Amino acid sequence: MTPIEIALEEARAAAARGEVPVGAVVTDPAGAVLGRAGNRVEELHDPTAHAEILALRAAAAARRSPRLPDCTLTVTLEPCPMCAQAASFFRVRRVVFGAYDPKGGGVEHGARIFQAASCHHAPEVVGGVREAECAGLLRDFFARLR
Amino acid sequence: MTPIEIALEEARAAAARGEVPVGAVVTDPAGAVLGRAGNRVEELHDPTAHAEILALRAAAAARRSPRLPDCTLTVTLEPCPMCAQAASFFRVRRVVFGAYDPKGGGVEHGARIFQAASCHHAPEVVGGVREAECAGLLRDFFARLR
């Protein structure tokens, strides 16, 4: 499976748990998975338990290092400002995401974290990967809630 | 002790552990402490283990709720964009901070999280409380490292 396929799998598993379906994975240059997670905000009653934060923490624990300078964070949704800043702090080389998030995103929208003067490490960014599939999961999830 | 005094105590304890001296506390309208923490980035090898995130999580756990709409987050340093966005997600009513952080801050500087279009809850902000004391702790800490 490619990283975005792993992230999609995590997003689907999150939906099955009643969580907003966002999934993330951290991979090394060889494609090995260092950390993977879905959203666990509801389960943990913790609004910081976004998929990206959990996957980054797991990867840092696996590496026994707070820095992941050769790694890629792949996530089904454009990271929010909190997760974008976290990705910068973990020094990831690249952030790949699926769906764009004009309302809550912090990479290509809103606070545009990596472009702020206070951002000391800006990863490469690739957006729109498997966009329709990633956005579709979110659309279906919210449609079912209504 | 006032909230900023508790935050300063946490910052001093962080310095004693070899951490960048930043401390935070979450209080309810009566001034009761729901969560307090110092920076634990080095100890936990986790760049998301900022004082604010740890104090907010502890407060939410104490309340058994991910939302803290009547609470104040008091911290010795202007929150970074990650922590500012977390404070917004936890829906705190007010953010009080000591020292301003032109290089890494995300409230009055850089990404200015609470002013971004993607910020759906902007707490009241009071900056510069016991500023000299809060900034002095950081200055002394970094002077000793050199």
Side-chain angles (χ1 to χ4, degrees), chain A residues 45-48 50 57 66 80-82 85 89-90 103 105 110-111 113 118 120, chain B residues 45-48 50 57 66 80-82 85 89-90 103 105 110-111 113 118 120:
Chain A
H45 310 292
D46 177 0
T48 71
H50 284 191
R57 272 204 203 114
C80 76
M82 175 181 73
Q85 185 64 56
F89 285 151
F90 278 102
K103 280 192 189 165
I113 290 295
S118 53
H120 307 303
Chain B
H45 311 291
D46 177 0
T48 72
H50 284 192
R57 273 205 202 115
C80 75
M82 176 182 73
Q85 184 63 57
F89 285 152
F90 278 101
K103 279 191 193 168
I113 290 295
S118 53
H120 307 302

PDB file of all heavy atoms in Angstrom, chain A residues 45-48 50 57 66 80-82 85 89-90 103 105 110-111 113 118 120, chain B residues 45-48 50 57 66 80-82 85 89-90 103 105 110-111 113 118 120:
ATOM      1  N   HIS A  45     -11.524  12.282  24.247  1.00  0.00           N
ATOM      2  CA  HIS A  45     -12.031  13.579  24.731  1.00  0.00           C
ATOM      3  C   HIS A  45     -10.927  14.618  24.678  1.00  0.00           C
ATOM      4  O   HIS A  45     -10.740  15.398  25.609  1.00  0.00           O
ATOM      5  CB  HIS A  45     -12.565  13.475  26.167  1.00  0.00           C
ATOM      6  CG  HIS A  45     -13.518  12.353  26.376  1.00  0.00           C
ATOM      7  ND1 HIS A  45     -14.769  12.331  25.801  1.00  0.00           N
ATOM      8  CD2 HIS A  45     -13.396  11.184  27.055  1.00  0.00           C
ATOM      9  CE1 HIS A  45     -15.379  11.207  26.145  1.00  0.00           C
ATOM     10  NE2 HIS A  45     -14.571  10.497  26.905  1.00  0.00           N
ATOM     11  N   ASP A  46     -10.162  14.579  23.597  1.00  0.00           N
ATOM     12  CA  ASP A  46      -8.974  15.435  23.495  1.00  0.00           C
ATOM     13  C   ASP A  46      -8.905  16.036  22.099  1.00  0.00           C
ATOM     14  O   ASP A  46      -8.578  15.348  21.134  1.00  0.00           O
ATOM     15  CB  ASP A  46      -7.730  14.587  23.787  1.00  0.00           C
ATOM     16  CG  ASP A  46      -6.433  15.377  23.631  1.00  0.00           C
ATOM     17  OD1 ASP A  46      -6.472  16.581  23.305  1.00  0.00           O
ATOM     18  OD2 ASP A  46      -5.365  14.766  23.845  1.00  0.00           O
ATOM     19  N   PRO A  47      -9.205  17.333  21.984  1.00  0.00           N
ATOM     20  CA  PRO A  47      -9.185  17.971  20.655  1.00  0.00           C
ATOM     21  C   PRO A  47      -7.794  18.081  20.042  1.00  0.00           C
ATOM     22  O   PRO A  47      -7.670  18.515  18.917  1.00  0.00           O
ATOM     23  CB  PRO A  47      -9.791  19.358  20.905  1.00  0.00           C
ATOM     24  CG  PRO A  47      -9.712  19.595  22.363  1.00  0.00           C
ATOM     25  CD  PRO A  47      -9.667  18.255  23.030  1.00  0.00           C
ATOM     26  N   THR A  48      -6.756  17.682  20.791  1.00  0.00           N
ATOM     27  CA  THR A  48      -5.427  17.647  20.171  1.00  0.00           C
ATOM     28  C   THR A  48      -5.107  16.261  19.596  1.00  0.00           C
ATOM     29  O   THR A  48      -4.044  16.080  19.003  1.00  0.00           O
ATOM     30  CB  THR A  48      -4.297  18.042  21.156  1.00  0.00           C
ATOM     31  OG1 THR A  48      -4.108  17.004  22.120  1.00  0.00           O
ATOM     32  CG2 THR A  48      -4.601  19.354  21.858  1.00  0.00           C
ATOM     33  N   HIS A  50      -5.590  14.700  17.012  1.00  0.00           N
ATOM     34  CA  HIS A  50      -5.740  14.598  15.564  1.00  0.00           C
ATOM     35  C   HIS A  50      -4.819  13.495  15.044  1.00  0.00           C
ATOM     36  O   HIS A  50      -3.776  13.200  15.639  1.00  0.00           O
ATOM     37  CB  HIS A  50      -5.360  15.932  14.911  1.00  0.00           C
ATOM     38  CG  HIS A  50      -6.401  17.008  15.041  1.00  0.00           C
ATOM     39  ND1 HIS A  50      -6.354  18.188  14.342  1.00  0.00           N
ATOM     40  CD2 HIS A  50      -7.521  17.072  15.795  1.00  0.00           C
ATOM     41  CE1 HIS A  50      -7.397  18.944  14.652  1.00  0.00           C
ATOM     42  NE2 HIS A  50      -8.121  18.288  15.552  1.00  0.00           N
ATOM     43  N   ARG A  57       3.777  11.525  16.854  1.00  0.00           N
ATOM     44  CA  ARG A  57       4.281  11.070  18.162  1.00  0.00           C
ATOM     45  C   ARG A  57       4.722   9.619  18.110  1.00  0.00           C
ATOM     46  O   ARG A  57       5.740   9.239  18.679  1.00  0.00           O
ATOM     47  CB  ARG A  57       3.174  11.203  19.209  1.00  0.00           C
ATOM     48  CG  ARG A  57       3.147  12.546  19.840  1.00  0.00           C
ATOM     49  CD  ARG A  57       2.479  12.427  21.234  1.00  0.00           C
ATOM     50  NE  ARG A  57       1.988  13.723  21.568  1.00  0.00           N
ATOM     51  CZ  ARG A  57       0.715  14.045  21.692  1.00  0.00           C
ATOM     52  NH1 ARG A  57      -0.231  13.124  21.583  1.00  0.00           N
ATOM     53  NH2 ARG A  57       0.377  15.258  21.957  1.00  0.00           N
ATOM     54  N   PRO A  66      12.887  13.215  18.708  1.00  0.00           N
ATOM     55  CA  PRO A  66      11.803  14.167  18.452  1.00  0.00           C
ATOM     56  C   PRO A  66      11.873  14.774  17.057  1.00  0.00           C
ATOM     57  O   PRO A  66      11.018  15.571  16.698  1.00  0.00           O
ATOM     58  CB  PRO A  66      12.043  15.238  19.521  1.00  0.00           C
ATOM     59  CG  PRO A  66      13.509  15.187  19.769  1.00  0.00           C
ATOM     60  CD  PRO A  66      13.932  13.759  19.580  1.00  0.00           C
ATOM     61  N   CYS A  80      -4.601  21.161   9.993  1.00  0.00           N
ATOM     62  CA  CYS A  80      -5.015  22.410  10.647  1.00  0.00           C
ATOM     63  C   CYS A  80      -3.749  23.134  11.127  1.00  0.00           C
ATOM     64  O   CYS A  80      -2.654  22.565  11.101  1.00  0.00           O
ATOM     65  CB  CYS A  80      -5.940  22.082  11.829  1.00  0.00           C
ATOM     66  SG  CYS A  80      -5.070  21.453  13.280  1.00  0.00           S
ATOM     67  N   PRO A  81      -3.868  24.362  11.594  1.00  0.00           N
ATOM     68  CA  PRO A  81      -2.671  25.095  12.050  1.00  0.00           C
ATOM     69  C   PRO A  81      -1.911  24.372  13.167  1.00  0.00           C
ATOM     70  O   PRO A  81      -0.686  24.385  13.192  1.00  0.00           O
ATOM     71  CB  PRO A  81      -3.253  26.427  12.546  1.00  0.00           C
ATOM     72  CG  PRO A  81      -4.497  26.618  11.741  1.00  0.00           C
ATOM     73  CD  PRO A  81      -5.072  25.230  11.600  1.00  0.00           C
ATOM     74  N   MET A  82      -2.632  23.733  14.089  1.00  0.00           N
ATOM     75  CA  MET A  82      -1.969  23.013  15.183  1.00  0.00           C
ATOM     76  C   MET A  82      -1.079  21.900  14.631  1.00  0.00           C
ATOM     77  O   MET A  82       0.092  21.765  15.024  1.00  0.00           O
ATOM     78  CB  MET A  82      -3.031  22.427  16.131  1.00  0.00           C
ATOM     79  CG  MET A  82      -2.476  21.559  17.254  1.00  0.00           C
ATOM     80  SD  MET A  82      -3.794  20.881  18.302  1.00  0.00           S
ATOM     81  CE  MET A  82      -4.494  19.619  17.216  1.00  0.00           C
ATOM     82  N   GLN A  85       1.932  23.167  12.530  1.00  0.00           N
ATOM     83  CA  GLN A  85       3.033  23.631  13.385  1.00  0.00           C
ATOM     84  C   GLN A  85       3.745  22.441  14.025  1.00  0.00           C
ATOM     85  O   GLN A  85       4.971  22.432  14.143  1.00  0.00           O
ATOM     86  CB  GLN A  85       2.505  24.587  14.463  1.00  0.00           C
ATOM     87  CG  GLN A  85       3.609  25.196  15.309  1.00  0.00           C
ATOM     88  CD  GLN A  85       4.546  26.076  14.508  1.00  0.00           C
ATOM     89  OE1 GLN A  85       4.118  27.014  13.863  1.00  0.00           O
ATOM     90  NE2 GLN A  85       5.839  25.767  14.518  1.00  0.00           N
ATOM     91  N   PHE A  89       7.639  21.401  13.932  1.00  0.00           N
ATOM     92  CA  PHE A  89       8.455  21.114  15.123  1.00  0.00           C
ATOM     93  C   PHE A  89       9.135  19.742  15.021  1.00  0.00           C
ATOM     94  O   PHE A  89      10.249  19.566  15.492  1.00  0.00           O
ATOM     95  CB  PHE A  89       7.602  21.142  16.394  1.00  0.00           C
ATOM     96  CG  PHE A  89       7.211  22.514  16.871  1.00  0.00           C
ATOM     97  CD1 PHE A  89       6.027  22.705  17.574  1.00  0.00           C
ATOM     98  CD2 PHE A  89       8.013  23.625  16.651  1.00  0.00           C
ATOM     99  CE1 PHE A  89       5.650  23.958  18.049  1.00  0.00           C
ATOM    100  CE2 PHE A  89       7.649  24.889  17.111  1.00  0.00           C
ATOM    101  CZ  PHE A  89       6.457  25.049  17.814  1.00  0.00           C
ATOM    102  N   PHE A  90       8.453  18.759  14.442  1.00  0.00           N
ATOM    103  CA  PHE A  90       9.052  17.422  14.274  1.00  0.00           C
ATOM    104  C   PHE A  90      10.042  17.399  13.100  1.00  0.00           C
ATOM    105  O   PHE A  90      10.664  16.376  12.851  1.00  0.00           O
ATOM    106  CB  PHE A  90       7.967  16.360  14.040  1.00  0.00           C
ATOM    107  CG  PHE A  90       7.294  15.849  15.284  1.00  0.00           C
ATOM    108  CD1 PHE A  90       6.031  16.294  15.654  1.00  0.00           C
ATOM    109  CD2 PHE A  90       7.904  14.894  16.083  1.00  0.00           C
ATOM    110  CE1 PHE A  90       5.384  15.806  16.782  1.00  0.00           C
ATOM    111  CE2 PHE A  90       7.275  14.391  17.211  1.00  0.00           C
ATOM    112  CZ  PHE A  90       6.019  14.852  17.572  1.00  0.00           C
ATOM    113  N   LYS A 103     -11.961  25.700   5.179  1.00  0.00           N
ATOM    114  CA  LYS A 103     -12.493  26.218   6.454  1.00  0.00           C
ATOM    115  C   LYS A 103     -11.538  26.061   7.624  1.00  0.00           C
ATOM    116  O   LYS A 103     -11.456  26.918   8.487  1.00  0.00           O
ATOM    117  CB  LYS A 103     -13.796  25.489   6.813  1.00  0.00           C
ATOM    118  CG  LYS A 103     -14.993  26.017   6.062  1.00  0.00           C
ATOM    119  CD  LYS A 103     -16.282  25.471   6.680  1.00  0.00           C
ATOM    120  CE  LYS A 103     -17.482  25.796   5.808  1.00  0.00           C
ATOM    121  NZ  LYS A 103     -18.663  25.002   6.183  1.00  0.00           N
ATOM    122  N   GLY A 105      -8.186  24.409   7.349  1.00  0.00           N
ATOM    123  CA  GLY A 105      -6.797  24.110   6.993  1.00  0.00           C
ATOM    124  C   GLY A 105      -5.852  25.234   7.384  1.00  0.00           C
ATOM    125  O   GLY A 105      -6.248  26.402   7.416  1.00  0.00           O
ATOM    126  N   GLY A 110      -6.098  29.878   5.611  1.00  0.00           N
ATOM    127  CA  GLY A 110      -6.064  30.441   6.962  1.00  0.00           C
ATOM    128  C   GLY A 110      -4.688  30.930   7.388  1.00  0.00           C
ATOM    129  O   GLY A 110      -4.096  31.775   6.716  1.00  0.00           O
ATOM    130  N   ALA A 111      -4.173  30.355   8.468  1.00  0.00           N
ATOM    131  CA  ALA A 111      -2.923  30.841   9.060  1.00  0.00           C
ATOM    132  C   ALA A 111      -1.699  30.568   8.184  1.00  0.00           C
ATOM    133  O   ALA A 111      -0.649  31.176   8.391  1.00  0.00           O
ATOM    134  CB  ALA A 111      -2.725  30.201  10.439  1.00  0.00           C
ATOM    135  N   ILE A 113       0.615  28.282   8.014  1.00  0.00           N
ATOM    136  CA  ILE A 113       1.694  28.159   8.995  1.00  0.00           C
ATOM    137  C   ILE A 113       3.092  28.152   8.394  1.00  0.00           C
ATOM    138  O   ILE A 113       3.998  28.816   8.897  1.00  0.00           O
ATOM    139  CB  ILE A 113       1.478  26.863   9.824  1.00  0.00           C
ATOM    140  CG1 ILE A 113       0.262  27.016  10.747  1.00  0.00           C
ATOM    141  CG2 ILE A 113       2.723  26.495  10.617  1.00  0.00           C
ATOM    142  CD1 ILE A 113       0.388  28.056  11.815  1.00  0.00           C
ATOM    143  N   SER A 118       7.241  33.188  11.772  1.00  0.00           N
ATOM    144  CA  SER A 118       7.630  32.452  12.967  1.00  0.00           C
ATOM    145  C   SER A 118       7.833  30.961  12.706  1.00  0.00           C
ATOM    146  O   SER A 118       8.075  30.191  13.633  1.00  0.00           O
ATOM    147  CB  SER A 118       6.568  32.640  14.055  1.00  0.00           C
ATOM    148  OG  SER A 118       5.298  32.302  13.540  1.00  0.00           O
ATOM    149  N   HIS A 120      10.115  28.130  11.554  1.00  0.00           N
ATOM    150  CA  HIS A 120      11.553  27.986  11.361  1.00  0.00           C
ATOM    151  C   HIS A 120      11.914  26.761  10.531  1.00  0.00           C
ATOM    152  O   HIS A 120      13.078  26.550  10.205  1.00  0.00           O
ATOM    153  CB  HIS A 120      12.252  27.956  12.718  1.00  0.00           C
ATOM    154  CG  HIS A 120      11.883  29.132  13.563  1.00  0.00           C
ATOM    155  ND1 HIS A 120      12.082  30.427  13.145  1.00  0.00           N
ATOM    156  CD2 HIS A 120      11.259  29.220  14.765  1.00  0.00           C
ATOM    157  CE1 HIS A 120      11.635  31.261  14.069  1.00  0.00           C
ATOM    158  NE2 HIS A 120      11.112  30.552  15.056  1.00  0.00           N
TER     159      HIS A 120
ATOM    160  N   HIS B  45      10.793  13.600  24.756  1.00  0.00           N
ATOM    161  CA  HIS B  45      11.242  13.558  23.350  1.00  0.00           C
ATOM    162  C   HIS B  45      10.075  13.869  22.430  1.00  0.00           C
ATOM    163  O   HIS B  45       9.877  13.204  21.413  1.00  0.00           O
ATOM    164  CB  HIS B  45      11.834  12.191  22.982  1.00  0.00           C
ATOM    165  CG  HIS B  45      12.847  11.692  23.956  1.00  0.00           C
ATOM    166  ND1 HIS B  45      14.093  12.281  24.098  1.00  0.00           N
ATOM    167  CD2 HIS B  45      12.795  10.698  24.866  1.00  0.00           C
ATOM    168  CE1 HIS B  45      14.759  11.645  25.041  1.00  0.00           C
ATOM    169  NE2 HIS B  45      14.001  10.680  25.528  1.00  0.00           N
ATOM    170  N   ASP B  46       9.279  14.833  22.825  1.00  0.00           N
ATOM    171  CA  ASP B  46       8.044  15.130  22.091  1.00  0.00           C
ATOM    172  C   ASP B  46       7.878  16.641  21.950  1.00  0.00           C
ATOM    173  O   ASP B  46       7.554  17.326  22.925  1.00  0.00           O
ATOM    174  CB  ASP B  46       6.857  14.534  22.854  1.00  0.00           C
ATOM    175  CG  ASP B  46       5.517  14.844  22.203  1.00  0.00           C
ATOM    176  OD1 ASP B  46       5.488  15.521  21.151  1.00  0.00           O
ATOM    177  OD2 ASP B  46       4.488  14.400  22.752  1.00  0.00           O
ATOM    178  N   PRO B  47       8.109  17.163  20.738  1.00  0.00           N
ATOM    179  CA  PRO B  47       8.000  18.614  20.550  1.00  0.00           C
ATOM    180  C   PRO B  47       6.583  19.161  20.686  1.00  0.00           C
ATOM    181  O   PRO B  47       6.394  20.373  20.632  1.00  0.00           O
ATOM    182  CB  PRO B  47       8.548  18.836  19.132  1.00  0.00           C
ATOM    183  CG  PRO B  47       8.512  17.515  18.475  1.00  0.00           C
ATOM    184  CD  PRO B  47       8.566  16.462  19.539  1.00  0.00           C
ATOM    185  N   THR B  48       5.595  18.285  20.880  1.00  0.00           N
ATOM    186  CA  THR B  48       4.243  18.779  21.161  1.00  0.00           C
ATOM    187  C   THR B  48       3.987  18.880  22.673  1.00  0.00           C
ATOM    188  O   THR B  48       2.913  19.332  23.073  1.00  0.00           O
ATOM    189  CB  THR B  48       3.141  17.898  20.526  1.00  0.00           C
ATOM    190  OG1 THR B  48       3.050  16.658  21.223  1.00  0.00           O
ATOM    191  CG2 THR B  48       3.405  17.642  19.052  1.00  0.00           C
ATOM    192  N   HIS B  50       4.464  20.889  24.922  1.00  0.00           N
ATOM    193  CA  HIS B  50       4.551  22.245  25.461  1.00  0.00           C
ATOM    194  C   HIS B  50       3.676  22.345  26.714  1.00  0.00           C
ATOM    195  O   HIS B  50       2.676  21.622  26.841  1.00  0.00           O
ATOM    196  CB  HIS B  50       4.064  23.256  24.411  1.00  0.00           C
ATOM    197  CG  HIS B  50       5.045  23.510  23.307  1.00  0.00           C
ATOM    198  ND1 HIS B  50       4.923  24.539  22.404  1.00  0.00           N
ATOM    199  CD2 HIS B  50       6.195  22.861  22.971  1.00  0.00           C
ATOM    200  CE1 HIS B  50       5.939  24.530  21.567  1.00  0.00           C
ATOM    201  NE2 HIS B  50       6.720  23.515  21.874  1.00  0.00           N
ATOM    202  N   ARG B  57      -4.738  19.547  28.377  1.00  0.00           N
ATOM    203  CA  ARG B  57      -5.163  18.141  28.419  1.00  0.00           C
ATOM    204  C   ARG B  57      -5.520  17.721  29.833  1.00  0.00           C
ATOM    205  O   ARG B  57      -6.503  17.004  30.049  1.00  0.00           O
ATOM    206  CB  ARG B  57      -4.031  17.244  27.915  1.00  0.00           C
ATOM    207  CG  ARG B  57      -4.046  17.084  26.459  1.00  0.00           C
ATOM    208  CD  ARG B  57      -3.347  15.752  26.106  1.00  0.00           C
ATOM    209  NE  ARG B  57      -2.913  15.871  24.747  1.00  0.00           N
ATOM    210  CZ  ARG B  57      -1.652  15.887  24.358  1.00  0.00           C
ATOM    211  NH1 ARG B  57      -0.675  15.709  25.211  1.00  0.00           N
ATOM    212  NH2 ARG B  57      -1.373  16.029  23.099  1.00  0.00           N
ATOM    213  N   PRO B  66     -13.848  17.812  26.566  1.00  0.00           N
ATOM    214  CA  PRO B  66     -12.829  18.398  25.694  1.00  0.00           C
ATOM    215  C   PRO B  66     -12.990  19.904  25.550  1.00  0.00           C
ATOM    216  O   PRO B  66     -12.200  20.538  24.867  1.00  0.00           O
ATOM    217  CB  PRO B  66     -13.078  17.694  24.364  1.00  0.00           C
ATOM    218  CG  PRO B  66     -14.527  17.356  24.384  1.00  0.00           C
ATOM    219  CD  PRO B  66     -14.879  17.097  25.820  1.00  0.00           C
ATOM    220  N   CYS B  80       2.838  29.484  20.994  1.00  0.00           N
ATOM    221  CA  CYS B  80       3.210  29.270  19.596  1.00  0.00           C
ATOM    222  C   CYS B  80       1.921  28.964  18.815  1.00  0.00           C
ATOM    223  O   CYS B  80       0.858  28.760  19.405  1.00  0.00           O
ATOM    224  CB  CYS B  80       4.193  28.097  19.491  1.00  0.00           C
ATOM    225  SG  CYS B  80       3.416  26.479  19.688  1.00  0.00           S
ATOM    226  N   PRO B  81       1.997  28.904  17.485  1.00  0.00           N
ATOM    227  CA  PRO B  81       0.782  28.632  16.706  1.00  0.00           C
ATOM    228  C   PRO B  81       0.110  27.293  17.070  1.00  0.00           C
ATOM    229  O   PRO B  81      -1.119  27.208  17.109  1.00  0.00           O
ATOM    230  CB  PRO B  81       1.300  28.602  15.259  1.00  0.00           C
ATOM    231  CG  PRO B  81       2.503  29.497  15.276  1.00  0.00           C
ATOM    232  CD  PRO B  81       3.150  29.234  16.612  1.00  0.00           C
ATOM    233  N   MET B  82       0.906  26.274  17.371  1.00  0.00           N
ATOM    234  CA  MET B  82       0.325  24.975  17.742  1.00  0.00           C
ATOM    235  C   MET B  82      -0.515  25.107  19.011  1.00  0.00           C
ATOM    236  O   MET B  82      -1.663  24.633  19.064  1.00  0.00           O
ATOM    237  CB  MET B  82       1.451  23.948  17.955  1.00  0.00           C
ATOM    238  CG  MET B  82       0.990  22.589  18.436  1.00  0.00           C
ATOM    239  SD  MET B  82       2.378  21.431  18.723  1.00  0.00           S
ATOM    240  CE  MET B  82       3.085  22.114  20.245  1.00  0.00           C
ATOM    241  N   GLN B  85      -3.688  27.327  18.560  1.00  0.00           N
ATOM    242  CA  GLN B  85      -4.776  26.599  17.905  1.00  0.00           C
ATOM    243  C   GLN B  85      -5.394  25.585  18.870  1.00  0.00           C
ATOM    244  O   GLN B  85      -6.614  25.401  18.892  1.00  0.00           O
ATOM    245  CB  GLN B  85      -4.269  25.896  16.641  1.00  0.00           C
ATOM    246  CG  GLN B  85      -5.362  25.206  15.844  1.00  0.00           C
ATOM    247  CD  GLN B  85      -6.396  26.188  15.308  1.00  0.00           C
ATOM    248  OE1 GLN B  85      -6.053  27.123  14.594  1.00  0.00           O
ATOM    249  NE2 GLN B  85      -7.664  26.006  15.656  1.00  0.00           N
ATOM    250  N   PHE B  89      -9.251  25.140  20.040  1.00  0.00           N
ATOM    251  CA  PHE B  89      -9.996  23.873  19.976  1.00  0.00           C
ATOM    252  C   PHE B  89     -10.612  23.517  21.332  1.00  0.00           C
ATOM    253  O   PHE B  89     -11.702  22.952  21.398  1.00  0.00           O
ATOM    254  CB  PHE B  89      -9.090  22.726  19.526  1.00  0.00           C
ATOM    255  CG  PHE B  89      -8.758  22.719  18.057  1.00  0.00           C
ATOM    256  CD1 PHE B  89      -7.557  22.162  17.620  1.00  0.00           C
ATOM    257  CD2 PHE B  89      -9.616  23.233  17.103  1.00  0.00           C
ATOM    258  CE1 PHE B  89      -7.228  22.123  16.270  1.00  0.00           C
ATOM    259  CE2 PHE B  89      -9.301  23.209  15.743  1.00  0.00           C
ATOM    260  CZ  PHE B  89      -8.102  22.642  15.332  1.00  0.00           C
ATOM    261  N   PHE B  90      -9.900  23.809  22.415  1.00  0.00           N
ATOM    262  CA  PHE B  90     -10.432  23.522  23.756  1.00  0.00           C
ATOM    263  C   PHE B  90     -11.449  24.580  24.189  1.00  0.00           C
ATOM    264  O   PHE B  90     -12.029  24.476  25.267  1.00  0.00           O
ATOM    265  CB  PHE B  90      -9.292  23.483  24.798  1.00  0.00           C
ATOM    266  CG  PHE B  90      -8.534  22.181  24.885  1.00  0.00           C
ATOM    267  CD1 PHE B  90      -7.297  22.030  24.281  1.00  0.00           C
ATOM    268  CD2 PHE B  90      -9.058  21.098  25.575  1.00  0.00           C
ATOM    269  CE1 PHE B  90      -6.582  20.841  24.368  1.00  0.00           C
ATOM    270  CE2 PHE B  90      -8.360  19.901  25.674  1.00  0.00           C
ATOM    271  CZ  PHE B  90      -7.118  19.769  25.065  1.00  0.00           C
ATOM    272  N   LYS B 103       9.737  35.828  17.858  1.00  0.00           N
ATOM    273  CA  LYS B 103      10.287  34.802  16.954  1.00  0.00           C
ATOM    274  C   LYS B 103       9.384  33.595  16.775  1.00  0.00           C
ATOM    275  O   LYS B 103       9.283  33.028  15.701  1.00  0.00           O
ATOM    276  CB  LYS B 103      11.641  34.311  17.486  1.00  0.00           C
ATOM    277  CG  LYS B 103      12.782  35.246  17.144  1.00  0.00           C
ATOM    278  CD  LYS B 103      14.110  34.560  17.451  1.00  0.00           C
ATOM    279  CE  LYS B 103      15.259  35.570  17.417  1.00  0.00           C
ATOM    280  NZ  LYS B 103      16.489  34.996  17.971  1.00  0.00           N
ATOM    281  N   GLY B 105       6.107  33.189  18.583  1.00  0.00           N
ATOM    282  CA  GLY B 105       4.723  33.352  19.026  1.00  0.00           C
ATOM    283  C   GLY B 105       3.739  33.282  17.869  1.00  0.00           C
ATOM    284  O   GLY B 105       4.074  33.627  16.739  1.00  0.00           O
ATOM    285  N   GLY B 110       3.680  36.398  14.008  1.00  0.00           N
ATOM    286  CA  GLY B 110       3.669  35.287  13.047  1.00  0.00           C
ATOM    287  C   GLY B 110       2.284  34.967  12.516  1.00  0.00           C
ATOM    288  O   GLY B 110       1.613  35.823  11.939  1.00  0.00           O
ATOM    289  N   ALA B 111       1.842  33.729  12.726  1.00  0.00           N
ATOM    290  CA  ALA B 111       0.582  33.243  12.140  1.00  0.00           C
ATOM    291  C   ALA B 111      -0.662  33.926  12.725  1.00  0.00           C
ATOM    292  O   ALA B 111      -1.729  33.859  12.129  1.00  0.00           O
ATOM    293  CB  ALA B 111       0.479  31.730  12.330  1.00  0.00           C
ATOM    294  N   ILE B 113      -2.857  33.255  15.037  1.00  0.00           N
ATOM    295  CA  ILE B 113      -3.881  32.216  14.903  1.00  0.00           C
ATOM    296  C   ILE B 113      -5.304  32.709  15.155  1.00  0.00           C
ATOM    297  O   ILE B 113      -6.219  32.385  14.404  1.00  0.00           O
ATOM    298  CB  ILE B 113      -3.556  31.049  15.871  1.00  0.00           C
ATOM    299  CG1 ILE B 113      -2.315  30.295  15.402  1.00  0.00           C
ATOM    300  CG2 ILE B 113      -4.748  30.101  16.028  1.00  0.00           C
ATOM    301  CD1 ILE B 113      -2.449  29.586  14.085  1.00  0.00           C
ATOM    302  N   SER B 118      -9.565  30.843   9.488  1.00  0.00           N
ATOM    303  CA  SER B 118      -9.873  29.449   9.830  1.00  0.00           C
ATOM    304  C   SER B 118     -10.011  29.243  11.340  1.00  0.00           C
ATOM    305  O   SER B 118     -10.177  28.109  11.785  1.00  0.00           O
ATOM    306  CB  SER B 118      -8.788  28.532   9.272  1.00  0.00           C
ATOM    307  OG  SER B 118      -7.526  28.984   9.697  1.00  0.00           O
ATOM    308  N   HIS B 120     -12.169  29.329  14.478  1.00  0.00           N
ATOM    309  CA  HIS B 120     -13.611  29.386  14.740  1.00  0.00           C
ATOM    310  C   HIS B 120     -13.945  29.778  16.171  1.00  0.00           C
ATOM    311  O   HIS B 120     -15.097  29.955  16.525  1.00  0.00           O
ATOM    312  CB  HIS B 120     -14.258  28.052  14.369  1.00  0.00           C
ATOM    313  CG  HIS B 120     -13.921  27.636  12.980  1.00  0.00           C
ATOM    314  ND1 HIS B 120     -14.220  28.416  11.889  1.00  0.00           N
ATOM    315  CD2 HIS B 120     -13.262  26.554  12.499  1.00  0.00           C
ATOM    316  CE1 HIS B 120     -13.790  27.825  10.794  1.00  0.00           C
ATOM    317  NE2 HIS B 120     -13.193  26.697  11.137  1.00  0.00           N
TER     318      HIS B 120
END
